[in-house]
Amino acid sequence: MRALDSARFVSGIGLFFVLIAVGLAGCVRQPSGEEARYLLGTTTFKGNKVIRDSELEALIPQKPNRRFLGLPLYPYLAFYQAASVTYNPAYHQRKLDSLTLEYQRKSDSLADAPRQLKKIQRRYTRKIARTKRRLTEGNDFMRIFGEPPVYFDSVAVTKNAEKVRGYLFNNGFFENEVRFTTDTTFRRIHTTYSIQENRPTRLREVRYSIPDPRVDSLVEAEPSGSFLKSNDRYKGSSFEDERIRIETLLRDNGYYGFSRQSVTYLVNDTISAPATDSLFKQVDVFVRVEAPDGQEYFKTYPVESVQFEVLPPGTLPDSLFQKDTTRFQDIRYVFTDKKFSPRILNSKMLIRPGKLYSQQDERETQRQLSLTDQFRFVNYGFDTTAQGLKGYFRAIPLDKYQVTADVGMNVIQLQQAPGPFANLSYKIRNVFNGLENFEVNLRGGVEAVTGFNDGNLYRSQELSVNTSLLFPQLLFPGGNLRYRFGRYNPRTQVGLGYNYVNRPEYARSNAKAAMTYTLQPSTTTFINLSLLDLNVLNTTRQAPEFALLLETLRAQGNNLYNSFRRSFVSDINFTFVHNTNSFIGLPKNADYLRVALESGGTSIGILPKQQQLIENIFGNDLQFFQYLRWNVDYRKYWPVARRSSFVARVNAGSVYSYGVNSVPPYEKYFFAGGSNSVRAWLPRRLGPGSSPPRITSANFTVEAPGELLLEGNLEYRGHLFHFFGDINYALFLDAGNVWTLPTTTSAQTGEFAAGDFRWGEFTKQIALGTGFGLRYDLQYFVLRFDFGLKIYDPNRQEFVLNEFSWKQPFSPRQPNYLNFNLGVGYPF
């Protein structure tokens, strides 16, 4: 078997070098009959000092064939050319002609049979479209794995030079000069654009002409927000940005009928003294803001009335239902079939009678109503009257009862052998007619992990039942105060749950009750605050080897065994998330920040009798915990090219125990290793510090909890090809570890454990791993395959990359091997 594995791997390496050779061949191979054509090479810009290369590159529509990792390898072109050897366009043209004639003949014969005619139309439409695609784009291998050659076009280069000149002119370099030269290497023509920007044209003076003093004071009140400022470089885009700014400013202050077309400009010396002539690289700008067409003056529109109507579901007519009309705080509510609390809806309505119209309030009202998860869609509009605006909102409700079921593979933070899971949820909307949602979720899963010392599967089972009641307001004493956060999508979630986990080391259950407040100040910011989070933890089984390990650690002064006693955990936690990355579309410059703070057992010190009360309810054998925990996770995303990006991540956290116990609950520890951490190590098995792996008498490696986490990741993500979804690749570098916090005795005696964090030693205990991955992006989910390899082992405190064996690359019996991680979604 070992010889067979080696033979397969050697064959794979041989294929890899063959592909490299083919990729190099893609650089020079020319199709028959096209010897005079040269492939398009790289494009370079020289001389530009102010305008960035990325801005100019966006003007060039022609892109050379893709290279692999920036190397002079063109595998996509090579695949295309190799597959084109067997491609016969004449055959596909004959097939297309035959299908077209056959379709016309059958359509004529079924002219009197509309049902059969529709079936024929659907079938032949697909066939003809598929054949056309093969005729114009090539066979399947050419389209999926390949890329057609991109040839140099001298006419296009000339046009590109004109585009660059125009772009420079539009950005204030009126006297720019652009020339281009070409250079030929390996039958590729590389183009260099030489640019002389010369001195830019700047804005000397910006003046506004607004006949209405109210509008004039409104625009002049925010000079810092203007896109046209004295001494700024002339930019054509700034003029349109200023139009949009003025339009938004006025529409947010009651000027409903105003549009950006009413903003015009007069530029240059037509309004300036001779000293501002363009020869001196200065111009004056005269901004004229006029009343909208058809109006003699700038008119503000107060909101005269607002009506919110809930329409019947589906396409049923209103006459089948009895309408219920009510008025609350000057807003008229009309309910058909289903009734909702006017008080709660009122907190979402930012468009109100008596207020001036605001475009921002209009859009925010629509967004807040959509976030309630009560309406299929919300439509709105305004009718103008002599007195102002009549606003109306019409909504169609979602189904009151909803059942969803998911069955799939549980592969998050697992290695090699995933396990199935089933998820069943039942939702009731608008339970008490106050836009509340009640949901019950039942989940069961089986997880399997390979790669451990005994070579067998590591199996674990999980079963959970969770119920939650979600209120669209902040439930706390204070009268009407709870209804004043409608702009921030307030929510209160009251939940009860039970979770059971059965692992080879132990079986553990958790009964939980929590009350969480949520605010969403913006589309990118989320805030969670839980003042009540109660957990009863119970370890129902410990494997003999694992129990022996806990006793051994206890004899050494480690109190980890306390985490597996029957215990009660109460905490207050706060979470802040700022996320500008949507993972939708092309890569963009974005950030992600998550800050989590938690205080466990705080109420024990505040309410001394609480512990006795809980013991009376749950028994006097409970273990209580007091701890402080924090975690900060920051990620930065940089687009490198159109379909590639670079990602950096820093993840740090710590938990400190005090008071009635010297350890935190087991679930509050930090762990390193796995598909979302340092991927060269098995999940939750890295560390702590320089400690060796903890192996039971049954030759099984147990988890390695820590009280301090430091972790960093760098990842380059690129695109390979499209096959029913995007197939992408990644190259990554991971670093990190977990540590235990030294005890007071250790600090006094200077005798530290191998897992203790010490400032002078921790840099030697940071694990380092690298690897590559493939990601299959189907838009609705991403299937991820990552292969991690150790570079530096903190246990041995030496580099181990040279211990990797090409003969057995995936064998866990080797000192260093490719650790396979299978996951869903991006790691970060």
Side-chain angles (χ1 to χ4, degrees), residues 516-519 526-530 573-577 595:
T516 304
Y517 299 111
T518 302
L519 287 176
F526 304 86
I527 299 174
N528 289 334
L529 174 63
S530 181
N573 56 75
F574 169 83
T575 304
F576 172 86
V577 176
V595 179

Side-chain angles (χ1 to χ4, degrees), residues 409 411 724-726 775-785 822-826:
M409 299 296 288
V411 292
F724 297 105
D726 288 328
R775 285 81 191 272
Y776 194 15
D777 189 348
L778 295 173
Q779 293 187 345
Y780 50 89
F781 81 95
V782 177
L783 191 60
R784 174 164 51 92
F785 308 88
L822 180 60
V824 170
Y826 290 97

Side-chain angles (χ1 to χ4, degrees), residues 16 21 28 66 101 105 206 234 238 370 422-423 544 587 601 631 750 781:
F16 175 75
V28 297
R66 285 188 293 160
L101 291 174
R105 186 173 62 254
V206 180
Y234 178 100
S238 297
S370 300
N423 188 58
N631 180 220
F781 81 95

Side-chain angles (χ1 to χ4, degrees), residues 22 201 205 245 339 659 691 746 823:
V22 172
T201 300
E205 184 179 4
R245 183 188 77 90
K339 187 174 182 179
S691 300
S746 299

Side-chain angles (χ1 to χ4, degrees), residues 82 86 96 105 185 223 232 275 396 451 510 676 713 740 778 788 803 823:
T86 60
L96 178 61
R105 186 173 62 254
T185 56
D232 278 1
I396 292 182
N510 179 14
N676 294 67
N713 310 86
T740 54
L778 295 173
E803 297 179 358

Side-chain angles (χ1 to χ4, degrees), residues 96 99-100 103 107 117-133:
L96 178 61
L99 280 173
T100 304
Y103 170 63
S107 298
L117 181 60
K118 283 186 178 180
K119 292 182 181 179
I120 290 296
Q121 288 175 340
R122 286 197 298 267
R123 186 171 66 186
Y124 276 88
T125 298
R126 290 193 298 267
K127 287 185 176 181
I128 291 175
R130 186 164 54 246
T131 305
K132 281 184 177 179
R133 188 166 62 250

Side-chain angles (χ1 to χ4, degrees), residues 231-355:
N231 207 38
D232 278 1
R233 177 165 50 87
Y234 178 100
K235 293 182 182 178
S237 59
S238 297
F239 289 83
E240 183 61 23
D241 291 338
E242 181 66 4
R243 278 194 176 100
I244 296 173
R245 183 188 77 90
I246 295 175
E247 179 191 60
T248 302
L249 180 64
L250 295 188
R251 288 178 66 87
D252 283 344
N253 284 272
Y255 296 92
Y256 173 76
F258 186 82
S259 67
R260 69 191 70 174
Q261 284 73 26
S262 298
V263 180
T264 58
Y265 298 101
L266 187 60
V267 184
N268 284 335
D269 57 347
T270 56
I271 60 168
S272 307
T276 61
D277 192 272
S278 59
L279 291 176
F280 295 91
K281 305 296 183 297
Q282 286 184 328
V283 296
D284 290 345
V285 178
F286 187 76
V287 185
R288 180 181 290 120
V289 182
E290 300 174 335
D293 293 341
Q295 297 183 13
E296 297 180 359
Y297 59 93
F298 291 88
K299 181 180 178 180
T300 58
Y301 287 82
V303 178
E304 179 184 352
S305 64
V306 177
Q307 175 173 299
F308 182 92
E309 182 177 3
V310 178
L311 302 174
T315 57
L316 298 176
D318 292 2
S319 58
L320 296 178
F321 303 91
Q322 183 178 358
K323 292 189 176 183
D324 184 6
T325 303
T326 185
R327 183 175 291 276
F328 186 84
Q329 293 188 358
D330 299 327
I331 297 180
R332 186 170 181 260
Y333 294 93
V334 180
F335 302 109
T336 305
D337 183 43
K338 295 183 179 181
K339 187 174 182 179
F340 299 86
S341 168
R343 177 182 287 271
I344 301 299
L345 288 173
N346 188 75
S347 67
K348 310 292 183 183
M349 301 293 293
L350 305 181
I351 295 289
R352 310 196 60 80
K355 287 181 59 177

Side-chain angles (χ1 to χ4, degrees), residues 75-87 92 134 137-148 721-723:
Y76 308 102
L77 174 59
F79 275 122
Y80 184 91
Q81 293 177 331
S84 65
V85 174
T86 60
Y87 174 64
H92 293 288
R134 289 174 177 170
E137 301 177 15
N139 56 40
D140 292 341
F141 281 97
M142 295 168 66
R143 288 185 292 104
I144 296 173
F145 302 105
E147 183 181 69
F721 54 85
H722 184 88
F723 182 69

